[in-house]
Amino acid sequence: QLQLQESGPGLVKPSETLSLTCTVSGGSISSNSYYWGWIRQPPGKGLEWIGNIYYSGTTYYNPSLKSRVTISVDTSKNQFSLKMSSVTAADTAMYYCARHEATGTTAHWGQGTLVTVPS
Amino acid sequence: EIGMTQSPATLSVSPGERATLSCRATQNVGSNLAWYQQKPGQAPRLLIYDASTRATGIPARFSGSGSGTDFTLIISSLQSEDFAVYYCQQYSNWPPITFGGGSKVEIK
């Protein structure tokens, strides 16, 4: 059974870089049928797609975040990662990693990790 | 970017009643529309994809319809476990993948 688990600091200082890793188990990140992505949700608000990556390293980003975001993949560890630079309090959110079907639907989600950026 | 608008923001329904949720896209997305359910403290769960296809393990009381710009999610007879927030998502033209703002179904 596929499982995704986010890890990383729960508190990031303003102007610093947020770094999260998603570890995939029960399936290979090198499958050519899926994209591996990040989605966030500020407290009490809706979902925002951050971006995703194909196992080959091809990335797609939300234009609203593209200048600050880098997603990378480590197939040897079955992991992919998110880096978001110059964070502010507006980046405080639950961050989910997820597996996207080739179409873009998301059937598998991690449990999420809360990242707080104090104001 | 394709914008997604959901209505109503909150729907108060009694158990056993029918709930109808709407989602509208700013551009034609064909049938490339999914619905998710999110309960407090949990990740979203895929309910419907391709506008009307139930995901694995989703009960038949959930049904989706629509194409183009207007979509509907119907829960035919609300069970206690169905009270949650529901999101629509388009995947017709990405990046970016975009979500609606959500509709909360609460107990009346």
Side-chain angles (χ1 to χ4, degrees):
Chain A
Q1 182 178 350
L2 186 75
Q3 292 189 329
L4 298 93
Q5 178 67 58
E6 305 88 350
S7 60
L11 184 66
V12 182
K13 295 179 180 178
S15 80
E16 295 191 344
T17 296
L18 177 161
S19 296
L20 296 174
T21 295
C22 182
T23 300
V24 179
S25 58
S28 173
I29 205 168
S30 298
S31 170
N32 61 3
S33 301
Y34 308 108
Y35 293 81
W36 304 91
W38 292 94
I39 296 162
R40 71 178 182 177
Q41 184 172 36
K45 297 189 178 180
L47 300 163
E48 180 179 34
W49 180 77
I50 299 171
N52 62 24
I53 189 166
Y54 196 54
Y55 78 97
S56 62
T58 300
T59 52
Y60 299 92
Y61 297 122
N62 191 323
S64 67
L65 298 169
K66 186 174 183 177
S67 64
R68 298 195 293 128
V69 169
T70 301
I71 297 175
S72 59
V73 64
D74 186 337
T75 56
S76 67
K77 295 182 179 179
N78 228 32
Q79 295 176 334
F80 62 104
S81 298
L82 169 70
K83 291 188 184 297
M84 181 179 294
S85 63
S86 305
V87 298
T88 69
D91 296 310
T92 293
M94 185 71 76
Y95 285 76
Y96 295 100
C97 63
R99 189 183 80 175
H100 296 308
E101 308 300 309
T103 55
T105 58
T106 310
H108 295 276
W109 300 68
Q111 65 184 25
T113 188
L114 179 63
V115 178
T116 301
V117 182
S119 55
Chain B
E1 173 175 329
I2 298 176
M4 308 299 292
T5 302
Q6 292 185 239
S7 62
T10 303
L11 184 64
S12 298
V13 186
S14 299
E17 291 188 339
R18 173 183 173 116
T20 302
L21 306 179
S22 296
C23 175
R24 176 166 289 177
T26 57
Q27 300 175 34
N28 186 342
V29 300
S31 295
N32 298 301
L33 190 286
W35 290 94
Y36 298 84
Q37 176 194 66
Q38 187 178 34
K39 297 180 182 179
Q42 296 184 15
R45 175 175 70 146
L46 178 66
L47 297 176
I48 301 282
Y49 62 94
D50 293 348
S52 61
T53 303
R54 280 189 299 276
T56 302
I58 302 303
R61 65 180 180 272
F62 291 92
S63 63
S65 63
S67 66
T69 60
D70 291 297
F71 300 87
T72 301
L73 174 70
I74 292 176
I75 312 170
S76 60
S77 177
L78 273 159
Q79 306 298 301
S80 57
E81 62 266 30
D82 301 334
F83 292 95
V85 179
Y86 293 83
Y87 293 95
C88 61
Q89 175 222 328
Q90 70 81 22
Y91 49 93
S92 172
N93 184 14
W94 66 274
I97 292 169
T98 50
F99 293 89
S103 289
K104 181 179 181 179
V105 178
E106 65 176 23
I107 300 174
K108 187 174 182 180

